[in-house]
Amino acid sequence: MASEKKVAENMLWGGRFTEGLDPIMEQYNASLPYDRIFYAQDIAGSIAFARANYNNGILTAEEFSAIQRGLQQVKEEWANGTFQVKPNDEDIHTANERRLSEIVGKEIGGKLHTGRSRNEQIATDMRLWLREELRRLEGYLKDLIKVAVARAEREIDVLIPGYTHLQKAQPVRWSHWLLSHATGFAAELDRLREVIKRVNRSPLGCGALAGNPFNIDREAMAKELGFDGLLYNSLNAVGDRDFVFETLQWGSSFMLKISRWAEDLIIYSSLEFGFVRLADAYSTGSSLMPQKKNADSLELIRGKSGRAFGHMAGLYCTIKGLPTTYNKDLQESVEPLLDHIKTVGDSMLIATGVLSTLTIFPDKMRAALAPEMLATEFADYLVRKGVPFREGHHISGRVVALAEKEGVPMDQLSLEQLKSVDARLGDDVLECLDYERAVELKSAVGGTSKSAVREQIEVLKGLIG
Ligand code: ARG
């Protein structure tokens, strides 16, 4: 095995090491297979750092421009797939620096890292990358809400049973259901915008832990990289992964909501409900049962939410016992983050696709409305005649009981039968059996009447701009 060991002197940090790495250790230690995704961010950070060191008098104008040109070439090599990974390229930072030195020579390349640490580099790279990803996801989330709002506007006349405990409760507009989820997604949009602000802070110039010894202009580097501001404590800046936690919390919260949304649609698309049908593009068949059309897209959304929560819980466990500032354990924050962003982003795209291509069956929805869902209307009717609600509730309960006793749905009771329950149920009581009326009566803000639903549409439109 010894012969396979790499000579540590060749590693960028190899000065004090005499023995090489065990090959398994080398692979265990390496993050390049996944942190190469940050190549452009790493190079942008290096150019900003070199510029600041030039302005500090640490690099000459010629050295800076050689480094800048060299790094640009490294970036092109990554972009066009010609970058040659070498065995000692431990991570994206060492790989980029090694290649830079090959291009511009060790004399100049070796000056890039003056006053700098990979600890600040990885934190900077991750934040820069994440900022862009979160902005992309913000766009996806807005699109999802947009589709829900557009359907809500178009399909405002359609009624469905509203459920509590998955029991038929009161009639509501289909649009109200659409907007209920869109409102939850909008809360995530709001949170996301907050998260982005805190992600977009610069740790660059904090060194390995103690700060920069050459009075580097951190503000200038932050500005060049498009950061909104600085992290103000170097120990904190290099050991902090709040920006990852917050992202994973946010993503988990979104996945929790989209999972419940998916569950509703899985139920609504079952043969028993038949309210909606998924487009072929988002369903699959069974290899055994030809009649089956499965809502795989929705089941995957529901399933992947568990995976997203796992990223969050896993990272909490990884970090909870770490001593102050950078420890190699922090490298383990990268992969969960990458997978989380992909999972959440893909789920948003799939959800938007499902919702925009969904067929609804208003007749089926209407047929599922049951007269019992109007029982409360009798109590409300009596309240309008001055009867205390508790008493009205009792009387409407007796209407339900009578229908049960007669073995007929509530709307099959005759006017006389209704009147026999209580004398205050007058000739106009039959209006209580009108679903549309029941829905339109819920006109206070947030309700399911047409006007209240339209108000919600406006609120959401304001948020997605
Ligand atoms: N690949 C490392 C990471 O992702 C970069 C920082 C390495 N720092 C160190 N002191 N070994 O965390």
Side-chain angles (χ1 to χ4, degrees):
M1 199 133 289
S3 63
E4 289 176 30
K5 286 181 180 171
K6 296 284 168 324
V7 179
E9 266 176 43
N10 294 337
M11 305 297 277
L12 286 179
W13 39 257
R16 61 157 292 193
F17 287 77
T18 48
E19 269 192 68
L21 277 182
D22 182 309
I24 297 175
M25 172 57 194
E26 193 181 314
Q27 168 240 294
Y28 199 64
N29 185 43
S31 53
L32 189 62
Y34 49 86
D35 66 17
R36 61 199 296 161
I37 198 169
F38 305 139
Y39 75 84
Q41 289 78 12
D42 196 69
I43 285 167
S46 287
I47 291 175
F49 203 88
R51 191 189 318 278
N53 267 346
Y54 158 57
N55 289 328
N56 260 355
I58 285 169
L59 297 174
T60 64
E62 294 69 40
E63 286 167 340
F64 169 59
S65 66
I67 287 176
Q68 191 174 26
R69 253 183 295 111
L71 286 170
Q72 243 124 28
Q73 185 183 325
V74 178
K75 186 168 149 187
E76 272 154 40
E77 289 179 4
W78 279 114
N80 62 29
T82 56
F83 188 99
Q84 298 276 334
V85 173
K86 298 259 171 85
N88 283 342
D89 289 343
E90 187 182 327
D91 54 26
I92 187 62
H93 327 297
T94 49
N96 282 343
E97 195 185 324
R98 186 266 307 156
R99 182 68 189 125
L100 172 70
S101 286
E102 283 171 7
I103 296 167
V104 302
K106 277 196 171 139
E107 199 57 39
I108 295 179
K111 291 191 175 181
L112 171 65
H113 212 54
T114 311
R116 187 173 71 158
S117 161
R118 284 183 295 154
N119 299 353
E120 61 187 310
Q121 270 185 284
I122 186 61
T124 303
D125 294 1
M126 287 172 82
R127 285 174 183 271
L128 287 174
W129 176 85
L130 185 56
R131 170 185 83 192
E132 297 312 315
E133 290 297 302
L134 291 180
R135 286 175 182 160
R136 181 170 63 86
L137 265 47
E138 182 185 350
Y140 290 175
L141 187 49
K142 276 161 67 173
D143 286 346
L144 174 60
I145 297 170
K146 238 179 241 167
V147 168
V149 166
R151 284 204 89 126
E153 264 184 316
R154 222 169 41 237
E155 295 164 350
I156 197 159
D157 291 323
V158 177
L159 304 188
I160 55 164
Y163 299 87
T164 57
H165 314 267
L166 203 55
Q167 309 285 336
K168 289 180 187 181
Q170 289 184 315
V172 294
R173 292 193 182 280
W174 158 246
S175 301
H176 204 51
W177 176 86
L178 285 166
L179 295 174
S180 73
H181 287 282
T183 302
F185 303 151
E188 297 313 323
L189 181 62
D190 221 28
R191 283 199 183 100
L192 175 60
R193 288 168 174 167
E194 285 297 313
V195 173
I196 292 174
K197 282 191 215 164
R198 285 184 287 275
V199 168
N200 201 26
R201 304 260 155 216
S202 176
L204 202 59
C206 283
L209 74 161
N212 183 284
F214 301 107
N215 195 28
I216 200 159
D217 188 344
R218 293 192 59 206
E219 293 280 2
M221 291 192 294
K223 195 155 173 251
E224 175 170 341
L225 295 169
F227 280 118
D228 288 331
L230 301 180
L231 292 163
Y232 286 109
N233 177 294
S234 63
L235 294 174
N236 168 266
V238 296
D240 170 81
R241 289 295 179 273
D242 277 10
F243 68 103
V244 183
F245 281 136
E246 245 195 303
T247 299
L248 300 184
Q249 288 158 358
W250 165 77
S252 297
S253 180
F254 172 77
M255 290 303 289
L256 180 130
K257 289 183 178 174
I258 199 78
S259 177
R260 294 188 67 187
W261 169 88
E263 174 63 11
D264 273 0
L265 287 177
I266 290 168
I267 294 172
Y268 294 170
S269 66
S270 68
L271 220 49
E272 287 77 0
F273 278 73
F275 294 175
V276 301
R277 191 177 59 214
L278 260 68
D280 285 355
Y282 298 100
S283 13
T284 63
S286 157
S287 57
L288 181 76
M289 300 163 282
Q291 85 284 7
K292 291 288 292 291
K293 187 168 177 189
N294 298 327
D296 287 27
S297 51
L298 299 171
E299 291 169 24
L300 282 169
I301 287 177
R302 195 176 55 187
K304 282 177 193 284
S305 65
R307 166 185 181 147
F309 308 159
H311 298 135
M312 179 179 68
L315 191 65
Y316 271 89
C317 296
T318 300
I319 297 194
K320 78 169 185 61
L322 296 193
T324 296
T325 194
Y326 185 85
N327 297 266
K328 194 60 174 263
D329 318 43
L330 292 180
Q331 186 166 286
E332 288 298 306
S333 64
V334 178
E335 282 177 292
L337 180 66
L338 300 183
D339 194 66
H340 196 84
I341 292 294
K342 174 161 171 48
T343 303
V344 173
D346 288 355
S347 300
M348 285 174 174
L349 291 176
I350 294 291
T352 305
V354 168
L355 192 60
S356 58
T357 56
L358 194 72
T359 306
I360 63 164
F361 298 101
D363 292 347
K364 280 280 190 88
M365 293 170 169
R366 185 136 202 134
L369 297 172
E372 289 66 31
M373 302 175 72
L374 299 168
T376 320
E377 302 309 315
F378 286 89
D380 293 349
Y381 166 95
L382 288 165
V383 165
R384 289 194 181 89
K385 305 236 163 193
V387 180
F389 177 75
R390 272 292 147 236
E391 197 189 339
H393 183 274
H394 203 77
I395 294 166
S396 70
R398 286 182 10 233
V399 173
V400 175
L402 176 65
E404 267 174 22
K405 189 173 136 242
E406 297 292 324
V408 293
M410 231 172 59
D411 61 344
Q412 305 282 303
L413 291 172
S414 67
L415 188 57
E416 283 60 45
Q417 282 174 310
L418 285 172
K419 283 178 166 175
S420 74
V421 173
D422 190 284
R424 284 164 292 184
L425 295 173
D427 287 347
D428 54 353
V429 70
L430 289 175
E431 70 186 24
C432 291
L433 292 165
D434 180 350
Y435 296 113
E436 190 70 33
R437 173 183 168 277
V439 164
E440 278 308 279
L441 281 173
K442 311 300 182 303
S443 59
V445 174
T448 200
S449 76
K450 229 176 233 187
S451 63
V453 166
R454 288 210 172 103
E455 280 165 12
Q456 296 165 45
I457 289 173
E458 290 317 309
V459 170
L460 288 173
K461 279 186 174 171
L463 263 174
I464 53 182

